[in-house]
Amino acid sequence: MASPSRPRAPGLPVLLLGGFVTIFDLFVVNVAIPSIQRDLGASFAQIGFVLAGYELAFGAFLITGAGSATASAGAGFTWPAPPCSPWRPCGADWPARPPP
């Protein structure tokens, strides 16, 4: 007897994309180090401090954003709809969601 199929959540691709974006962001910053160093006239140690501060801020905002998203999702909070998207042209009326 076959069990009913249910739609699969896109969890793994979303997690992999998040990891890729994080690594790619730091890769781009590291590639730009020589240009940043030349434009600012900074020493290697000063650029190291700038990068450490950037990575610390990036990680702090990433963890804070994930924690607030998790907390708001558990409270039944839904993010507001964007004003424009490919599925909803700008200026179109968005149907109200029925109460739960």
Side-chain angles (χ1 to χ4, degrees):
M1 179 168 214
S3 62
S5 64
R6 63 177 205 184
R8 302 179 110 189
L12 182 60
V14 169
L15 291 174
L16 292 174
L17 181 65
F20 171 75
V21 167
T22 303
I23 298 297
F24 184 72
D25 178 59
L26 294 176
F27 169 75
V28 168
V29 171
N30 282 322
V31 167
I33 287 174
S35 176
I36 295 169
Q37 191 173 10
R38 184 179 57 250
D39 291 346
L40 296 177
S43 69
F44 187 72
Q46 290 170 330
I47 291 297
F49 279 121
V50 169
L51 287 177
Y54 173 76
E55 291 173 2
L56 181 65
F58 184 84
F61 282 121
L62 189 68
I63 292 170
T64 305
S68 64
T70 302
S72 63
F77 176 79
T78 56
W79 293 100
C84 303
S85 72
W87 303 274
R88 178 179 167 240
C90 293
D93 290 333
W94 190 264
R97 191 185 318 205

